[in-house]
Amino acid sequence: MKKIKVLYTIPNFDTAGSGKALLNIARGLNNDLFEPHIMCLHDRGEFFKTVKASGIPIHFFPYLSKPRPISSLLASAWKVSRKFKEINPDIIHSFHYAPDYTEALATKMAGIDWVFTKKNMNWGGASKNAWHLRSFLAKRIIIQNTDMDKEIYPSSKKTEFIPRGVDTNTFKPLLLKNTDDFRTKFETGKDKRILLTVANLAPVKGIELLINAFAEVNNIDDNWVIWLVGNADNPYGKEVKKIVKQKGLQNKIKFIGKQLAINRFLNEAELFILPTKSKGEGSPVALLEAMASGTPVIGSNVPGIKDQLKKYQDHLFEPENINDLKRILSKFLKYDITTLHHQGIRFREHVINNYSLQKEVRKHEIFYKKVVA
């Protein structure tokens, strides 16, 4: 039986989030039925070492074209199409988060089925036409939350709902916890209780709302601190650090920085929060990783998060509503460690039953077979 050859395209592995999702799926495919390949623009980024070590064939090629002028676009897309024909996949699956349609045009010229994963809720504004064209050129579209179906593709027959999954063997409760040596690196005492969030700092993440709310309720238990894991070396990150200083919370809010391995951070935390603003998420894997690690979570009631916490309405708060955020923080910061631990066990079972990486991979295999058929 001929294997289905899937070429995954992604601009780079610098940011790692989309790259990890791609690699998890490619590595998980049944090798007797599928042959994965990867195409990207360069080999920069720490995570690329992991990609290379996977043994999956990697092709470096400038497969994205400038959309203007049209004459240059057509010439460039034709060159890209010849490269696609040389690799000759059955399917090209794009993990590009942006509304680029030039890749899709090249696949049309090559006569290859092209699909993409819609990774965010972006749709209107200046990029509206580009998103419409990208969607029009796609053979099928993978959506990651139910709001995409309602708000973006309400009448489309191209979509397939496949939420993110997480490796529950990698993300699990660890034996090590509350260890002095690990906490010392981040100036956090053994008696401190950690409220964790994992996200590269951007305005949509709502971190300033979390800080302002925490400033008013942290006296419930003086031992609570916040660990912010993610890149903060940008204008928004600097603004957030400024707020922390103004509130006098330098000893209670720690900027951990970008981390490739977050298992230990999840293991040290008693509670995880994702305060995303109204725009929403695609399908936030950070929330799933926290739940799989046995850490109870709370999050804003926005696309992506509300799917994952549909069974746990009391763990949701209204986005950008600082009073509701204070309400839910006040509630959970009062819980003792035993109560939170039992909640964490329930959340891990929820992920195993509904959001395992194995389920995500199997759904992609079925999806690819449909496309080829």
Side-chain angles (χ1 to χ4, degrees):
M1 183 177 180
K2 182 181 178 294
K3 293 183 180 181
I4 296 175
K5 191 173 186 178
V6 183
L7 175 63
Y8 295 96
T9 59
I10 188 169
N12 60 69
F13 289 92
D14 287 348
T15 54
S18 294
K20 285 182 179 178
L22 184 161
L23 187 62
N24 283 338
I25 295 167
R27 285 194 299 196
L29 295 176
N30 185 334
N31 289 329
D32 293 330
L33 301 176
F34 297 90
E35 180 186 341
H37 286 241
I38 295 172
M39 177 177 284
C40 56
L41 302 179
H42 58 72
D43 61 358
R44 296 192 295 274
E46 185 67 24
F47 185 66
F48 188 82
K49 296 175 183 177
T50 303
V51 179
K52 186 176 181 181
S54 71
I56 296 172
I58 303 170
H59 309 268
F60 298 102
F61 194 79
Y63 70 93
L64 300 174
S65 306
K66 292 182 179 180
R68 294 289 186 276
I70 296 295
S71 57
S72 296
L73 166 60
L74 294 176
S76 177
W78 176 256
K79 291 180 182 178
V80 176
S81 75
R82 297 309 89 191
K83 183 63 177 180
F84 286 156
K85 284 291 287 184
E86 178 186 319
I87 300 170
N88 197 31
D90 297 290
I91 303 168
I92 295 177
H93 184 171
S94 173
F95 269 70
H96 198 357
Y97 67 90
D100 171 81
Y101 55 84
T102 67
E103 174 191 357
L105 182 60
T107 61
K108 286 290 184 183
M109 293 177 173
I112 300 170
D113 288 331
W114 184 80
V115 304
F116 75 92
T117 297
K118 186 77 173 76
K119 306 182 68 61
N120 51 49
M121 294 299 292
N122 295 340
W123 187 248
S127 61
K128 180 179 179 179
N129 290 338
W131 277 119
H132 278 274
L133 189 51
R134 181 176 172 86
S135 301
F136 173 76
L137 292 171
K139 177 78 175 287
R140 298 293 297 276
I141 303 166
I142 293 175
I143 56 175
Q144 295 192 317
N145 66 52
T146 55
D147 285 274
M148 289 180 180
D149 193 33
K150 299 172 187 174
E151 298 178 18
I152 299 176
Y153 301 112
S155 58
S156 177
K157 296 181 180 179
K158 291 184 176 183
T159 58
E160 184 85 13
F161 176 46
I162 305 180
R164 292 288 300 274
V166 64
D167 186 348
T168 55
N169 292 319
T170 298
F171 292 94
K172 61 185 178 181
L174 304 176
L175 295 177
L176 292 173
K177 194 174 182 70
N178 207 358
T179 52
D180 289 329
D181 59 335
F182 188 75
R183 290 181 171 225
T184 299
K185 298 177 186 176
F186 310 108
E187 301 176 332
T188 303
K190 192 173 182 179
D191 60 326
K192 298 301 180 184
R193 309 180 69 187
I194 296 169
L195 171 63
L196 178 72
T197 188
V198 178
N200 288 325
L201 269 62
V204 70
K205 296 299 182 180
I207 303 301
E208 80 280 7
L209 298 168
L210 171 61
I211 291 169
N212 287 326
F214 183 75
E216 297 190 36
V217 302
N218 73 88
N219 57 356
I220 290 173
D221 182 339
D222 196 51
N223 285 324
W224 279 104
V225 298
I226 295 178
W227 276 6
L228 298 173
V229 176
N231 180 29
D233 296 328
N234 54 50
Y236 176 71
K238 292 177 182 178
E239 184 62 30
V240 168
K241 290 178 180 179
K242 184 178 178 181
I243 296 172
V244 170
K245 188 174 181 179
Q246 289 173 344
K247 297 288 184 181
L249 295 172
Q250 298 95 317
N251 293 327
K252 288 203 168 190
I253 298 179
K254 305 297 180 181
F255 292 86
I256 306 300
K258 185 177 179 179
Q259 303 288 330
L260 281 181
I262 64 167
N263 306 58
R264 284 295 305 274
F265 298 96
L266 291 169
N267 192 58
E268 292 290 334
E270 288 187 46
L271 187 62
F272 184 94
I273 184 169
L274 207 55
T276 307
K277 293 183 179 179
S278 301
K279 190 174 183 180
E281 304 264 0
S283 183
V285 72
L287 206 66
L288 298 177
E289 290 171 346
M291 289 189 275
S293 300
T295 305
V297 302
I298 54 179
S300 50
N301 191 14
V302 298
I305 295 177
K306 66 182 180 182
D307 276 352
Q308 295 176 0
L309 297 183
K310 185 176 180 180
K311 295 182 180 179
Y312 302 96
Q313 294 293 312
D314 56 334
H315 288 250
L316 291 168
F317 58 91
E318 287 303 309
E320 302 180 59
N321 185 329
I322 193 166
N323 289 325
D324 204 36
L325 180 51
K326 287 192 294 184
R327 174 196 62 80
I328 202 165
L329 282 175
S330 298
K331 173 184 175 181
F332 281 89
L333 296 186
K334 289 177 183 176
Y335 288 153
D336 59 35
I337 190 170
T338 301
T339 301
L340 291 175
H341 173 71
H342 288 310
Q343 287 187 355
I345 293 173
R346 286 193 297 122
F347 276 119
R348 176 166 170 79
E349 292 174 351
H350 175 59
V351 171
I352 291 174
N353 293 332
N354 300 284
Y355 294 99
S356 71
L357 178 60
Q358 290 82 0
K359 286 181 180 291
E360 183 185 17
V361 172
R362 296 291 88 79
K363 287 179 180 178
H364 275 83
E365 290 183 340
I366 294 169
F367 173 78
Y368 295 145
K369 290 176 182 178
K370 287 181 182 177
V371 172
V372 172

